[in-house]
Amino acid sequence: MNEAAATAAPALSLSAVGLVHPNGQRALSRVSLAVAPGEQVAIIGPSGAGKTTLLRLAAAALRPTEGRVRLLDANPWQLGAGDLRRLRARVGVVHQAPPIPPQLRVVTAILAGRLGRWSTWKAIASLIYPADIAGAREVLARLELADRLFERCDRLSGGQLQRVGIARVLYQQPELLLADEPVSALDPALADAAIAQLIGHSEARGATLVASLHAVDLALKWFPRLVGMRAGEVVFDLPRREVSREMLAELYATEGGVLPTQANDPAVLAAGHGDGSPTVLPFTRSTRPGCR
């Protein structure tokens, strides 16, 4: 993070944020978090920790019960409908299960990333004939899916659909990129390559990246800052080099102390990758490889 970014207003700020669902269940308790422009942050923690809820608040998809959320120097809940729509167009969200209509062709799903910045006539025209086939093909090629450009989305596997969701956000070119378990359906090699693309977008464009990840090894490899969550609270918020094995073991104590990695992720195993044996995460660090 450069000096200018360090002194700029946070790209994302949560101040003592809490969220209680209509059924009375508390999802978040007094969460405070500030992420600088261009910063890359991984949110980790066991299932039910509140990671998805935090990202939905950050995307202005949920309104907090308590506290204040600011994104891209605006309070989304003080904006009119038009201004809120324009703010959301500057935020890209990668979902674990991308909400893409199954009958859409991949090229149309990718180009939908810029609908918030296109005029109405251009958006309608692009449904009839894709407005930027070359641009869609280029982002798909980065994720090894260029040959699926004109495929219907309902003919894709879950992992392929996740990569289409990532490609759509890369095409969008947002200032703030939020990714919720973006590679949960991918094998280790594809997951690593996809995270590299998200990091590469952040570094090349100065975009802020906040991602929740189940696989701790991916978080340690790629992200300079880790935020650990458990039971709706932030347990630690530290540079990667300061996160110890003991901290991670405590964070995942409710899951038997076995750290979730690409090698023992249930979603990866269901796809036929890994041998199912518990993984002891090696806590050694080498120089992070460059983005591919």
Side-chain angles (χ1 to χ4, degrees):
M1 183 171 54
N2 59 34
E3 185 176 346
T7 58
L12 172 65
S13 173
L14 284 74
S15 303
V17 165
L19 187 119
V20 180
H21 291 301
N23 64 4
Q25 179 184 3
R26 177 167 286 278
L28 292 179
S29 300
R30 297 190 62 80
V31 171
S32 293
L33 181 69
V35 184
E39 196 172 7
Q40 299 140 10
V41 179
I43 312 291
I44 61 173
S47 299
K51 303 185 297 293
T52 295
T53 301
L54 185 150
L55 289 179
R56 292 190 68 197
L57 286 168
L62 280 178
R63 187 167 189 161
T65 308
E66 306 129 9
R68 186 181 67 174
V69 175
R70 289 188 68 83
L71 59 142
L72 301 177
D73 207 24
N75 184 332
W77 305 111
Q78 293 179 347
L79 301 177
D83 288 336
L84 179 58
R85 185 173 59 252
R86 284 185 283 273
L87 176 64
R88 285 172 171 159
R90 299 166 60 197
V91 179
V93 181
V94 181
H95 300 271
Q96 183 175 7
I100 298 173
Q103 71 276 12
L104 278 188
R105 290 179 297 166
V106 170
V107 62
T108 306
I110 299 298
L111 298 183
R114 291 192 190 168
L115 289 181
R117 302 194 328 221
W118 285 354
S119 64
T120 301
W121 72 264
K122 184 173 182 177
I124 294 173
S126 187
L127 290 174
I128 300 169
Y129 187 84
D132 185 12
I133 293 173
R137 181 181 286 112
E138 190 273 330
V139 293
L140 281 172
R142 293 190 229 164
L143 294 156
E144 302 181 32
L145 278 178
D147 60 330
R148 301 287 182 168
L149 183 64
F150 294 106
E151 193 81 72
R152 276 175 53 122
C153 288
D154 56 4
R155 295 175 181 168
L156 302 180
S157 69
Q160 289 170 335
L161 200 59
Q162 272 197 333
R163 283 184 283 162
V164 169
I166 293 170
R168 177 167 65 174
V169 170
L170 293 177
Y171 182 76
Q172 180 186 346
Q173 298 179 348
E175 298 169 49
L176 172 61
L177 201 162
L178 307 170
D180 183 19
E181 301 285 3
V183 295
S184 59
L186 303 184
D187 68 39
L190 287 174
D192 193 69
I195 294 297
Q197 288 298 327
L198 293 175
I199 292 286
H201 169 85
S202 171
E203 292 179 340
R205 302 191 63 84
T208 306
L209 170 62
V210 181
S212 72
L213 292 172
H214 187 69
V216 177
D217 50 341
L218 279 179
L220 287 169
K221 177 178 181 179
W222 289 106
F223 288 82
R225 175 181 168 194
L226 272 63
V227 174
M229 292 190 68
R230 185 178 62 227
E233 299 181 348
V234 172
V235 177
F236 60 76
D237 179 356
L238 293 168
R240 173 178 51 197
R241 64 183 177 275
E242 296 180 19
V243 178
S244 68
R245 183 184 303 191
E246 291 72 26
M247 288 178 181
L248 293 171
E250 176 65 22
L251 183 66
Y252 289 95
T254 57
E255 297 189 352
V258 176
L259 303 182
T261 70
Q262 284 284 286
N264 61 17
D265 190 309
V268 174
L269 297 178
H273 307 283
D275 61 8
S277 59
T279 296
V280 178
L281 187 69
F283 214 77
T284 57
R285 297 190 180 92
S286 57
T287 303
R288 191 184 75 185
C291 295
R292 292 192 290 265

